Amino acid sequence: MLSPHLPTPSPRLRALNTQALLAQHSGLWRAAHLGHSTQPCWPSGFAALDAELPGGGWPTQALSELLQAQPGEAELRLLAPALAASSGGSGSKPLLLINPPHEPHALPGLGERELLWLQPSSVAQALWSAEQALASNAVVVVAWLERADAAQLRRLQAAAQHCSSPAFVLRPLGCAAQSSPAPLRLSLACAGPGMLQLQLLKRRGPPCAQPLWLQAWPGALQQQLSPRQQGAATAPPPTPAPLAQPRVDARRAHASAAR
């Protein structure tokens, strides 16, 4: 109970005090604003996507969950720029693919990063492999998990908190209605030969109602097309011109109405 001798703080003063408290703690964020990651992020290679991701890129020490209807169609096209930009250095980690939908061969666009491949014989083995790989912090993990419940994903999220690189889990699009501990969730679809459509389903910040359209060619095809050809192929179709309206003589229309 407030003392009768002390004045009650005004609403404006309470708001100022709240803002000061928020400014003192960088880990706090308001849901109406895009969050700021306290950990380093990897630029995705797409300026439009980085502008919508907290921290300006793929988060480290956390899971990023990609959902799509058809696995193996577009995920590596989305991830290749970030993986290529971080490869080749002395601290570069191998890329570990766990249970990919297709047998990986040469993967154009991924730079000089060493590629490892695991094909577990069961869902339990795939989850165990992903958890151990994340906890080791020795590889960049991209894991395709057809089935995983919330408890299993929480174990992966806990293991990913030790990673100095992003960690990606790919699941069916039907899992979008299920809860997930991953701080970042996106749906991904191929929208043409050189275009990807992304929808941000979960992030530290306000909802993103509009989908993102990203130009992302398959690596082998991109090497064969000139920048002009790439731009022409991904350009949206021209908007048709409106049909010309017939001209009506006002005097003739008035005479017809009088009859």
Side-chain angles (χ1 to χ4, degrees), residues 58-69:
W58 297 118
T60 60
Q61 300 186 7
L63 279 184
S64 295
E65 188 176 359
L66 306 179
L67 309 176
Q68 53 185 346

Side-chain angles (χ1 to χ4, degrees), residues 8 50 158 163 168 205:
T8 303
D50 288 343
C163 290
F168 301 98

Side-chain angles (χ1 to χ4, degrees), residues 95-104 115-120 144:
L95 172 62
L96 175 61
L97 305 181
I98 299 178
N99 200 28
H102 307 294
E103 179 178 353
L115 177 64
L116 304 175
W117 169 36
L118 286 180
Q119 198 73 37
W144 286 259

